[in-house]
Amino acid sequence: MRKLIVETRDRVYPVFIGYGLFEGGILSELDLPFSSGALITNQKVGPLHAEKVSQAFLKRGFRLSSLALPDGEEFKTLASAEVAYHFLLQEGLDRKGFLVTLGGGVITDLGGFVASTFMRGIAYYQVPTSLLAQVDSSVGGKTGVNLEEGKNLVGTFYQPYGVIIELSFLKTLPEREYREGLAEVAKAAFLAGGEFLEVLRVQSEALLGRDYSVLEDVVERAVLFKKEVVEQDEKEKGLRSILNYGHTVAHGLERALGYGTLRHGEAVAIGMMVEAMIGLELGITRPQVIEIQKVILQELGLPLRVEVALSAEDFWAILKYDKKREAQHIKFSLLRDFGDPVFGVSVPEETFKKVFDSVRGAVLQ
């Protein structure tokens, strides 16, 4: 087992990474001075893992009532949050109660949002079951739900009380969902550069084969990188926005195509390619970044293209709903080089349209 401690102004909490954590009594490592608890999962993950997690809490004296929401990005909504609120009230949860979120990025984001707003904030523990959630969304305290206009437009910064990354849960992950998580691993490696990037380049085949010794190392590296960024900038006033690399375009793609058509990690992979080309056009990104990034993403089995029946002008209009917009300026996080990110780059509309039109055949179609 590996253990990291995230230290923010709002909360200090542990992140555990390993195998057989629930069988090994991991909950004895957590302080659970609460009255009662509930588990929020989805209808796909619940039948696979909810019983194991619930039994571990039962041994600590907590019987968890369980709510299984529909699976999919299209259900990360205020309507789903309201379903959860009513459930918690029916189960008698009070301000001293706690939530356990069991699932991928949709559940960790949605469950965290529910915890942050129910009774004006209750404790919650993240148990991410997808690779994407394990390396990214379960750590750092970003919560949120989607609106018709865009992703995560309603949300909070609310740190969990603990994160338990059980790597054996990845065994049940469908191949497409597993691979999308590799996009967030790649993003972290591109931002970190150095040894992390080299490990990714050398171990791409082992990662695709779900070699668990390699996975444990890579997940720890990704979480450690995010932890260090979050500790410096918990509420994304500056540095933390580097973690949005690839995401401005990705969120636009998800909305343009309809939530659930592209998986989030797939959109991020395409988004990183487009944003690298924007950086090149602006004279920020070195040409080698594009070529190396392309090779790594291809080796990880990630898509670099998708059909989008939108003009550059229409796609730019979608980006105006991105939460990183400031006044009329859309802010991007880009790479100068691997390990050398830059944030808060205001990309002119004409530059974006020029790149978008030039890459439609190579990347977007």
Side-chain angles (χ1 to χ4, degrees):
M1 181 187 76
R2 307 188 186 196
K3 179 180 179 181
L4 301 173
I5 300 295
V6 180
E7 300 184 30
T8 70
R9 178 176 297 181
D10 285 352
R11 189 165 297 116
V12 177
Y13 59 93
V15 179
F16 302 99
I17 305 167
Y19 306 91
L21 298 179
F22 288 99
E23 294 91 335
I26 190 63
L27 299 186
S28 64
E29 300 271 347
L30 296 176
D31 185 16
L32 295 166
F34 305 110
S35 60
S36 59
L39 183 147
I40 293 181
T41 186
N42 67 41
Q43 295 166 355
K44 189 174 181 180
V45 171
L48 297 173
H49 306 303
E51 181 65 19
K52 177 182 289 187
V53 174
S54 295
Q55 284 300 313
F57 275 90
L58 186 59
K59 290 179 181 178
R60 284 292 308 274
F62 295 97
R63 185 179 298 276
L64 301 183
S65 52
S66 181
L67 171 65
L69 296 167
D71 177 43
E73 184 76 35
E74 62 270 33
F75 297 104
K76 198 174 92 172
T77 62
L78 286 168
S80 293
E82 186 173 1
V83 169
Y85 296 142
H86 289 303
F87 171 77
L88 298 180
L89 289 171
Q90 290 165 7
E91 293 300 316
L93 223 67
D94 57 28
R95 294 185 69 180
K96 294 184 179 179
F98 68 94
L99 285 188
V100 177
T101 62
L102 176 70
V106 170
I107 290 296
T108 56
D109 281 3
L110 174 62
F113 177 73
V114 169
S116 72
T117 50
F118 182 73
M119 300 287 181
R120 294 181 176 161
I122 62 174
Y124 75 113
Y125 297 88
Q126 300 275 39
V127 184
T129 59
S130 72
L131 180 59
L132 187 148
Q134 289 181 350
V135 300
D136 185 56
S137 57
S138 67
V139 176
K142 270 191 177 182
T143 81
V145 294
N146 303 332
L147 299 179
E148 182 181 347
E149 290 84 355
K151 283 199 66 171
N152 299 321
L153 292 179
V154 177
T156 62
F157 288 96
Y158 192 69
Q159 300 295 337
Y161 280 58
V163 181
I164 302 173
I165 297 175
E166 173 53 61
L167 294 172
S168 68
F169 287 169
L170 297 179
K171 293 178 182 178
T172 62
L173 206 61
E175 185 65 18
R176 185 181 177 190
E177 293 180 42
Y178 175 76
R179 290 193 183 203
E180 74 155 329
L182 293 174
E184 289 288 357
V185 173
K187 181 202 75 176
F190 296 157
L191 293 170
E195 187 177 347
F196 190 0
L197 180 64
E198 188 59 27
V199 167
L200 189 66
R201 296 176 71 173
V202 172
Q203 300 288 5
S204 59
E205 185 175 348
L207 281 173
L208 278 176
R210 307 195 198 192
D211 182 314
Y212 284 93
S213 62
V214 174
L215 264 173
E216 187 171 26
D217 176 57
V218 165
V219 169
E220 182 184 32
R221 288 178 185 273
V223 173
L224 179 61
F225 177 75
K226 183 165 187 179
K227 155 188 146 60
E228 291 172 346
V229 172
V230 168
E231 287 176 341
Q232 295 178 67
D233 179 19
E234 180 180 359
K235 297 188 176 179
E236 202 168 305
K237 301 297 184 183
L239 178 65
R240 184 170 177 173
S241 60
I242 66 172
L243 300 175
N244 293 318
Y245 179 52
H247 285 61
T248 301
V249 169
H251 289 170
L253 287 173
E254 288 177 272
R255 178 172 178 243
L257 296 170
Y259 296 125
T261 303
L262 269 184
R263 298 201 65 85
H264 176 64
E266 295 170 341
V268 168
I270 297 166
M272 287 191 289
M273 291 304 304
V274 175
E275 292 181 22
M277 294 174 187
I278 290 172
L280 181 66
E281 179 68 22
L282 293 174
I284 294 172
T285 302
R286 297 178 64 182
Q288 69 184 43
V289 169
I290 295 176
E291 294 307 314
I292 294 172
Q293 184 175 272
K294 179 179 179 180
V295 169
I296 290 174
L297 294 175
Q298 285 178 324
E299 289 180 346
L300 293 175
L302 291 161
L304 302 181
R305 65 188 68 201
V306 66
E307 293 186 7
V308 180
L310 285 176
S311 67
E313 185 174 3
D314 288 340
F315 198 84
W316 180 258
I318 287 176
L319 295 188
K320 288 182 179 179
Y321 285 104
D322 190 274
K323 60 184 181 299
K324 295 177 288 298
R325 176 175 56 87
E326 295 179 12
Q328 296 303 310
H329 300 283
I330 300 174
K331 301 293 186 178
F332 284 74
S333 295
L334 304 172
L335 290 179
R336 295 188 187 93
D337 203 346
F338 297 115
D340 187 15
V342 58
F343 59 87
V345 178
S346 182
V347 175
E349 181 176 353
E350 291 308 311
T351 299
F352 176 83
K353 290 179 178 179
K354 178 180 178 181
V355 171
F356 188 90
D357 284 334
S358 71
V359 303
R360 285 181 65 87
V363 177
L364 293 175
Q365 291 187 356

